[in-house]
Amino acid sequence: MNQENKNLCTKPLNLIDRISKKKAENENVLIVCLQCDKEFQVNDSCDQKNYLSHLLKEHRLVISDVDHIGHFQKYHQYWKERFDQGKIDDFCYKINTNMAKDDKGEVESFYMLCDDLPEDKILREKLNIYNLEKALAQQEMERNDKNYFKECLFCGEQIGNNRSNVLQHMSDNHNFNVGHADNLVYFDEFYQKLNQRISINKCLFCEKIFYNKQILKEHMRKKQHKSINPNNREFDKFYIINYLVNINQTKLFVNY
């Protein structure tokens, strides 16, 4: 182990034993099923998966590549209005199963919304551009906000002037690195998600929950879990690169 890595392992990671004074507001986003009157919350990826599971099981309807849809609520609203204007067969691909001579079981019909459909492709492209422009405008506002103050997630020190200083403090003093400030957006929501996890003694990398702050601190230090879980899709919205990926993904389909 070289000296640089040794210093990373031994440098202390402090965690203050506190709960955020201001809890994140829960904004319940409700949608009505595309095919029935049942309502669903789609506040996060878990809610969304629950709704997509309902569409598949109850209505044999699949929405492909949901992760590449820039604004799911607007996308859903558009197709809800379109489905009210005609039959589902008019808008979706229809896939019939058990159609071969040797197939056993009843014939089942499934429907799919995907970007191979011209109308769907155009809609996704517009929503991805809308989402990118919205994120860039928010990022510009956050960069220019010089009166921003926030407590460090680990030691509680008040850090000010801008969001970049908050991240720099946590990197320099606690070896916690989530990337450069210029790559982040919707910082307040991002901060709240991190703070909520720490308040329940949850490791930000492996996402295990520990008995108290001290055990969590030792775990994060020894395991070098001083970043967020790269496989947790809940954090995707806070990195501007993901909005660009969706735009490039759309262009690939357009040029295909």
Side-chain angles (χ1 to χ4, degrees):
M1 181 183 293
N2 60 37
Q3 186 63 34
E4 183 179 356
N5 289 335
K6 184 177 180 180
N7 290 337
L8 286 175
C9 291
T10 57
K11 194 171 182 179
L13 176 69
N14 298 319
L15 286 170
I16 52 176
D17 191 10
R18 62 183 174 82
I19 298 177
S20 176
K21 296 178 181 178
K22 183 178 180 181
K23 296 182 179 180
E25 296 181 0
N26 294 321
E27 296 182 0
N28 291 324
V29 180
L30 287 175
I31 58 174
V32 179
C33 175
L34 289 171
Q35 292 289 285
C36 67
D37 295 328
K38 190 172 182 179
E39 291 185 340
F40 290 86
Q41 289 187 2
V42 287
N43 298 322
D44 53 36
S45 58
C46 291
D47 291 340
Q48 194 175 89
K49 287 179 181 179
N50 181 48
Y51 171 58
L52 295 175
S53 176
H54 166 81
L55 286 179
L56 177 60
K57 292 179 180 179
E58 300 297 328
H59 307 294
R60 300 294 190 267
L61 175 59
V62 175
I63 301 176
S64 72
D65 297 316
V66 174
D67 292 338
H68 295 298
I69 298 175
H71 196 297
F72 183 75
Q73 287 75 37
K74 289 182 180 292
Y75 176 90
H76 186 274
Q77 180 182 359
Y78 176 89
W79 282 117
K80 179 68 174 175
E81 293 174 357
R82 292 291 281 140
F83 283 5
D84 289 341
Q85 298 170 4
K87 297 180 180 179
I88 190 172
D89 304 65
D90 299 333
F91 307 106
C92 300
Y93 281 131
K94 185 176 181 180
I95 304 169
N96 294 319
T97 63
N98 301 322
M99 294 292 288
K101 292 182 179 180
D102 297 333
D103 288 343
K104 297 180 180 180
E106 298 181 358
V107 175
E108 288 187 282
S109 296
F110 292 83
Y111 298 91
M112 177 178 289
L113 282 173
C114 64
D115 39 37
D116 285 333
L117 298 162
E119 186 176 1
D120 188 277
K121 180 172 65 177
I122 293 172
L123 174 61
R124 291 181 187 228
E125 181 180 18
K126 290 181 177 179
L127 289 176
N128 286 337
I129 292 173
Y130 162 83
N131 221 29
L132 174 61
E133 291 176 343
K134 182 181 177 182
L136 289 173
Q138 175 68 22
Q139 188 186 55
E140 183 69 16
M141 183 278 292
E142 292 178 358
R143 284 178 178 174
N144 295 330
D145 183 7
K146 303 302 181 183
N147 297 313
Y148 187 83
F149 291 86
K150 214 72 173 177
E151 289 183 358
C152 171
L153 289 167
F154 301 104
C155 67
E157 181 179 342
Q158 191 84 354
I159 312 298
N161 293 334
N162 55 49
R163 291 159 178 79
S164 179
N165 288 344
V166 178
L167 293 175
Q168 193 65 49
H169 167 86
M170 290 192 289
S171 176
D172 292 345
N173 294 277
H174 308 287
N175 286 328
F176 183 72
N177 185 16
V178 294
H180 197 278
D182 287 343
N183 299 327
L184 291 169
V185 67
Y186 303 116
F187 185 83
D188 281 357
E189 185 180 350
F190 180 56
Y191 177 95
Q192 287 293 340
K193 281 187 176 292
L194 298 178
N195 193 39
Q196 287 169 2
R197 283 162 170 74
I198 289 177
S199 70
I200 60 172
N201 306 323
K202 188 174 187 178
C203 177
L204 298 174
F205 185 83
C206 70
E207 301 187 341
K208 293 180 180 179
I209 297 177
F210 296 87
Y211 181 72
N212 58 37
K213 292 288 188 298
Q214 184 61 30
I215 298 176
L216 172 61
K217 179 185 72 173
E218 289 301 311
H219 163 82
M220 293 178 70
R221 183 183 65 83
K222 290 179 179 179
K223 296 291 186 179
Q224 288 296 290
H225 287 183
K226 299 177 182 180
S227 60
I228 61 175
N229 183 353
N231 298 316
N232 190 331
R233 302 304 299 272
E234 288 186 41
F235 293 107
D236 285 0
K237 70 172 291 185
F238 307 117
Y239 289 86
I240 204 70
I241 185 64
N242 292 311
Y243 298 88
L244 298 172
V245 167
N246 283 342
I247 292 294
N248 291 333
Q249 188 79 16
T250 302
K251 288 181 178 178
L252 287 175
F253 290 128
V254 171
N255 295 327
Y256 179 69

